[in-house]
Amino acid sequence: MFEFLKHITPKIKILFLSLFLILIPGAIISYLSLKSIQEKADNQRIKFHGTANLVRDKLESKLYQLETNFRNSVMDSILIVERETELQDLLQFLDLQYPAISNILLVGNNGELIAGLLTHGQNGGSSAEPSSGVLKKIFAQAEKKEFIEKNYTGAIELYRSAYNSALSLQDKVNIHSRIGRNYYKLSRFKQGILEYEKILIQANETTSIGNIPASIVALQQIAEGYQEIGALNDRNKILLDLYQLLLNHPWDLSGGDYLFYLNSVSHEIHSTEADLMDEMRSLEERILDQSAYIHLIESEILGGLMSELKHLTSSEIIHKSYQAGPGPAIDLAYFTIPPSIKQAHLIALAFQFDKDYLLTELFPRELAAVALGKDITVGILNEEDSLVYLQNDLQLSSYLVAENFTQKLIPWKVALFDSTGKTIEQLSARERNLYLGLFIGILAVMLMGIVILARAVIHESEISRMKSEFVSNVTHELKTPLALIRMFGETLDSGIVTEEDKRREFYSIIRKESERLTHLINNVLDYSRIDSGNKEYEFEKTDLVAVIRHSLEAYKFHIRDMGFEIESKMPEDAVMILIDKDAISQAFLNLLSNAVKYSEERKHIRVEIARETNSVLISVTDQGIGIARDELKKIYNKFYRIPNDMVKKPRGSGLGLTLTRHIVEAHRGNIEVDSEPGRGSRFSIRLPLT
Ligand code: ADP
């Protein structure tokens, strides 16, 4: 089937074979591999997205589970709450119970809010008005004495007398506060302080002075008293108590009075008890935060929320993001409270996730159970896409993939990071480049292999071509002298030729032809010896000039017969040198016979021996066809013959120069050629003298 291949040159054959059998399949495999790498990269991207989704779902389901539990707890506990004041305790309890949830607010159907940290208005306490008519009268008289007559001692007596008529705790607190006030006006601060201290002992959560919890007022007054009498240590201690009380019993949801007290006391305190203060300050911060939050909800969100709540029937948890003012959006979650429960005036409960807690506690704990392998790390990005949490405390900036949490629940993203900080593009590019490099390397090796193979095959086929040419040349060269020898031998043998001159001529022809034959056979035999490594030289100190002269003499007449002019220049003295004389003679004769063979019209040969400092130069110069520059290197190759178009193409084996060079090199010499096509060649053998 590959018949047609027979007629194609080896070069084309190799090209064809390498193209079809190596390069095309190689290219196809490379293309398919690159494609599969691309697919792998795509698959990896999909895989990363899938993993990020899984992680996101896990965290999200935790959040959903958490808020569902929270809602159930709220429903269960609201059921057992009896009094409104307990609602606040409930919120505080929930706040502690659910650290992941913060800023819990109960919404009443009139838009009033109940918060865990702050109470709404006064503590539902009794009115500051005196409870009995008698008391009212005495108070009026005492106030007259105090404010109009400025008779503070009288006022104090009147207030003391009212003490018996005081029915409620609130009455008693009022009396103590008024007596204290008058003592202060009299600058009798110590007595005043005593009165206020009585309030501290008696007051409970419901007592108040002028709408402000009685204990707060009493402590504040005592601190002022101490300040007046210069008891600064005592004053500071009282201020600290007051601060603590304010922090533990914040009461004013709208912020007003309460924040005023809190700010001024917090400002006054320069405590030495640093630990205690740190704790208090963080509580203060929470209260201030919640107060700001409540304020924002009241002023910006509550209106819209109320109308939404009216339409809401189911108890599902709604997540909304409110843009209130220029600051960040407020994410609020809420659910309605069914009207069937006792606290019928409550319609909903709103809350937020405590982001700090999620990032520092909940997510790290949940993610610790997610094993993604050592190369992948999970991080959380916030709404501005900046990293707010990263597993394993790594420092990475670019992520592989990121997946949003369900909007409204929490406006963040779950991101996967490569632990070396690479992006997905960099990861796949690295792999692609690696494979690409590998393929290019393999292709290069393949190409190199093909080139080497092609060269070897071409060389071998050239050699085999030259060999067969050699065989036909040598056969021809053997046959011609043999035929001549035989023909002239037979003629002489038959006795037909009688003239002495003729006979001598015939004998001479037979001798010359047999010499040529010997030369040829010597060349072939020597080549085969050299080729098999069996050639041995016999060196002896010889006069080189004599050897060359003798060889030249043997052929001189014959060459002159062919119309050549021979010019020779040799030193008069002997040049003694260590050589194998037969070999050197053979080398010289090869050059000489080439000069004869490759000359056309200009039949001029010059043989020269020149003695130099350390060497001797034997050169043979002809004016023949010359050798092209790019052939100069090849002529020494075995069997090589330059294809030429001489009219009478000379016979030859392609071995002459190969042998000559070998012989010269065996004598530690070298051979050079200086030639120009059309003008002639000069071959020089240089042999070292020592
Ligand atoms: P060949 O038997 O063919 O002469 P050689 O090895 O002696 O083999 O020479 C190799 C080839 O070099 C020859 O075929 C011929 O083309 C070229 N060559 C050798 N000597 C000469 C010369 N003096 N002038 C031109 N070409 C030469």
Side-chain angles (χ1 to χ4, degrees):
M1 103 188 239
F2 291 113
E3 272 301 296
F4 67 99
L5 282 177
K6 282 184 187 159
H7 310 288
I8 298 174
T9 65
K11 259 190 210 169
I12 307 260
K13 230 184 265 182
I14 294 219
L15 259 169
F16 175 82
L17 286 177
S18 48
L19 200 70
F20 282 93
L21 300 183
I22 302 175
L23 282 182
I24 290 183
I28 292 174
I29 289 172
S30 309
Y31 171 75
L32 290 180
S33 309
L34 276 178
K35 229 178 111 169
S36 91
I37 288 168
Q38 190 60 44
E39 266 167 28
K40 207 175 138 199
D42 290 345
N43 284 341
Q44 201 170 35
R45 188 187 296 270
I46 293 169
K47 208 180 88 193
F48 281 141
H49 274 293
T51 314
N53 271 329
L54 277 179
V55 175
R56 194 263 327 267
D57 289 351
K58 180 178 167 64
L59 296 180
E60 215 171 81
S61 79
K62 183 73 197 168
L63 291 182
Y64 277 125
Q65 185 193 346
L66 211 139
E67 62 177 23
T68 313
N69 288 348
F70 171 69
R71 198 214 28 221
N72 294 343
S73 296
V74 170
M75 294 301 184
D76 291 349
S77 26
I78 272 189
L79 271 181
I80 52 167
V81 167
E82 291 288 344
R83 294 195 299 142
E84 192 163 339
T85 47
E86 287 172 21
L87 285 174
Q88 203 154 359
D89 297 338
L90 168 65
L91 294 189
Q92 270 174 11
F93 163 77
L94 291 169
D95 193 49
L96 281 175
Q97 199 73 359
Y98 290 88
I101 283 172
S102 64
N103 288 337
I104 312 168
L105 282 182
L106 277 165
V107 185
N109 54 11
N110 290 325
E112 72 271 24
L113 297 178
I114 300 165
L117 285 176
L118 298 172
T119 54
H120 192 47
Q122 209 202 320
N123 277 353
S126 52
S127 114
E129 285 291 299
S131 53
S132 73
V134 184
L135 205 59
K136 220 181 250 175
K137 239 190 218 155
I138 301 176
F139 270 24
Q141 286 170 5
E143 276 165 7
K144 197 175 153 208
K145 277 222 179 328
E146 183 184 347
F147 295 107
I148 297 166
E149 297 171 14
K150 312 273 184 208
N151 178 358
Y152 305 123
T153 329
I156 291 172
E157 270 165 27
L158 273 174
Y159 282 129
R160 283 211 194 286
S161 68
Y163 205 78
N164 292 333
S165 322
L167 299 176
S168 65
L169 189 61
Q170 180 64 49
D171 289 342
K172 287 177 184 164
V173 164
N174 275 343
I175 292 170
H176 286 306
S177 135
R178 283 157 190 252
I179 295 175
R181 187 170 73 201
N182 280 285
Y183 275 130
Y184 274 28
K185 285 179 180 167
L186 286 169
S187 297
R188 288 162 67 182
F189 294 105
K190 281 192 179 154
Q191 271 106 328
I193 288 170
L194 281 177
E195 288 304 315
Y196 285 118
E197 277 173 352
K198 284 177 193 157
I199 298 179
L200 283 187
I201 297 165
Q202 293 176 353
N204 65 16
E205 285 196 352
T206 62
T207 49
S208 64
I209 300 168
N211 264 347
I212 292 162
S215 318
I216 306 275
V217 177
L219 279 173
Q220 197 254 339
Q221 288 300 324
I222 293 171
E224 214 167 274
Y226 279 136
Q227 165 99 24
E228 291 294 339
I229 57 172
L232 291 182
N233 272 348
D234 289 334
R235 169 192 172 260
N236 288 348
K237 232 185 270 165
I238 293 296
L239 276 181
L240 206 60
D241 286 348
L242 175 57
Y243 186 46
Q244 203 150 16
L245 187 69
L246 282 167
L247 292 176
N248 292 338
H249 298 280
W251 80 90
D252 180 0
L253 200 57
S254 66
D257 286 340
Y258 174 70
L259 286 186
F260 168 75
Y261 271 91
L262 185 66
N263 283 332
S264 53
V265 173
S266 144
H267 188 72
E268 287 283 316
I269 284 185
H270 306 287
S271 171
T272 47
E273 292 170 75
D275 287 352
L276 184 67
M277 279 309 286
D278 279 352
E279 212 172 283
M280 288 186 179
R281 292 256 183 249
S282 82
L283 187 55
E284 181 185 333
E285 257 169 46
R286 277 191 67 193
I287 289 172
L288 291 176
D289 275 358
Q290 199 178 33
S291 161
Y293 164 74
I294 291 170
H295 180 71
L296 207 63
I297 299 234
E298 272 186 328
S299 61
E300 307 279 341
I301 298 172
L302 202 57
L305 188 64
M306 288 301 286
S307 57
E308 270 173 55
L309 288 174
K310 284 194 179 110
H311 301 114
L312 216 72
T313 47
S314 81
S315 61
E316 68 179 305
I317 300 170
I318 309 291
H319 297 97
K320 272 241 157 106
S321 189
Y322 294 94
Q323 189 59 55
I330 297 182
D331 304 302
L332 200 65
Y334 54 84
F335 53 87
T336 52
I337 296 170
S340 52
I341 68 162
K342 269 187 200 151
Q343 302 293 332
H345 69 288
L346 295 176
I347 54 169
L349 183 139
F351 63 92
Q352 290 183 308
F353 283 113
D354 185 330
K355 293 180 177 171
D356 279 345
Y357 180 83
L358 296 191
L359 293 179
T360 53
E361 301 276 337
L362 189 75
F363 285 177
R365 198 168 56 225
E366 287 300 306
L367 291 175
V370 183
L372 294 178
K374 64 178 181 353
D375 295 338
I376 302 291
T377 306
V378 180
I380 304 285
L381 306 174
N382 69 4
E383 43 273 71
E384 273 111 42
D385 237 15
S386 46
L387 190 63
V388 285
Y389 165 75
L390 187 59
Q391 242 183 340
N392 307 334
D393 298 329
L394 292 172
Q395 298 286 318
L396 302 171
S397 52
S398 40
Y399 54 85
L400 297 164
V401 291
E403 288 294 337
N404 281 314
F405 278 96
T406 310
Q407 215 65 39
K408 308 280 165 52
L409 182 65
I410 201 146
W412 290 343
K413 287 177 189 159
V414 168
L416 294 190
F417 289 77
D418 173 65
S419 46
T420 55
K422 297 230 159 43
T423 60
I424 204 160
E425 284 74 23
Q426 287 169 326
L427 271 187
S428 57
R430 192 175 58 179
E431 199 162 344
R432 196 173 49 233
N433 290 347
L434 191 83
Y435 277 89
L436 210 65
L438 213 67
F439 285 133
I440 290 175
I442 290 172
L443 272 180
V445 171
M446 274 179 176
L447 275 176
M448 237 164 69
I450 290 169
V451 169
I452 291 170
L453 188 79
R455 284 179 67 137
V457 171
I458 289 166
H459 184 69
E460 277 309 311
S461 71
E462 189 72 351
I463 294 237
S464 83
R465 185 190 61 76
M466 289 192 296
K467 259 184 188 163
S468 61
E469 207 175 284
F470 161 80
V471 171
S472 86
N473 276 341
V474 169
T475 326
H476 192 73
E477 284 223 27
L478 288 175
K479 267 165 97 182
T480 320
L482 272 179
L484 285 173
I485 290 168
R486 192 172 162 190
M487 186 182 86
F488 286 105
E490 278 172 2
T491 315
L492 287 172
D493 193 37
S494 64
I496 306 169
V497 184
T498 49
E499 300 123 70
E500 193 54 28
D501 281 358
K502 265 268 183 284
R503 286 164 72 107
R504 204 166 287 142
E505 190 192 340
F506 284 7
Y507 282 130
S508 156
I509 290 174
I510 290 174
R511 187 179 58 81
K512 277 178 215 151
E513 286 304 318
S514 54
E515 265 171 11
R516 241 174 65 157
L517 208 58
T518 315
H519 181 66
L520 182 72
I521 290 169
N522 276 350
N523 267 355
V524 175
L525 285 179
D526 272 357
Y527 167 73
S528 81
R529 273 191 213 114
I530 286 170
D531 206 31
S532 60
N534 291 331
K535 172 78 183 166
E536 277 172 16
Y537 293 95
E538 285 167 21
F539 294 99
E540 57 183 308
K541 208 81 174 164
T542 319
D543 176 11
L544 179 75
V545 181
V547 172
I548 299 297
R549 188 174 284 140
H550 180 79
S551 308
L552 181 62
E553 289 301 323
Y555 285 87
K556 210 171 178 176
F557 298 103
H558 171 62
I559 297 170
R560 280 200 177 129
D561 271 359
M562 292 165 78
F564 278 85
E565 198 180 309
I566 296 186
E567 184 191 343
S568 68
K569 187 176 173 217
M570 294 180 203
E572 295 293 318
D573 305 331
V575 176
M576 296 305 286
I577 181 171
L578 200 63
I579 49 169
D580 178 323
K581 64 174 195 278
D582 289 340
I584 288 295
S585 157
Q586 195 183 351
F588 167 70
L589 288 180
N590 280 342
L591 294 188
L592 192 65
S593 85
N594 278 352
V596 172
K597 283 197 288 186
Y598 302 107
S599 289
E600 289 188 307
E601 301 90 37
R602 281 173 293 132
K603 299 183 184 238
H604 183 277
I605 293 172
R606 178 182 158 88
V607 175
E608 190 177 348
I609 299 177
R611 196 191 163 123
E612 295 177 347
T613 328
N614 291 321
S615 58
V616 58
L617 199 73
I618 311 156
S619 61
V620 178
T621 313
D622 62 56
Q623 293 182 2
I625 59 168
I627 302 166
R629 178 177 278 273
D630 54 346
E631 299 284 356
L632 286 177
K633 274 223 172 92
K634 303 186 212 161
I635 51 177
Y636 300 103
N637 293 347
K638 57 184 179 185
F639 307 124
Y640 188 76
R641 308 196 71 216
I642 301 173
N644 63 40
D645 38 37
M646 289 173 77
V647 184
K648 193 168 157 258
K649 201 165 180 176
R651 284 172 287 161
S653 58
L655 287 178
L657 287 179
T658 316
L659 277 172
T660 305
R661 187 165 71 170
H662 192 275
I663 292 166
V664 171
E665 283 172 358
H667 284 77
R668 291 184 294 117
N670 64 323
I671 178 165
E672 278 167 20
V673 57
D674 188 7
S675 182
E676 205 180 314
R679 305 202 59 162
S681 316
R682 174 183 146 102
F683 280 85
S684 320
I685 293 172
R686 186 184 300 276
L687 297 176
L689 278 173
T690 46

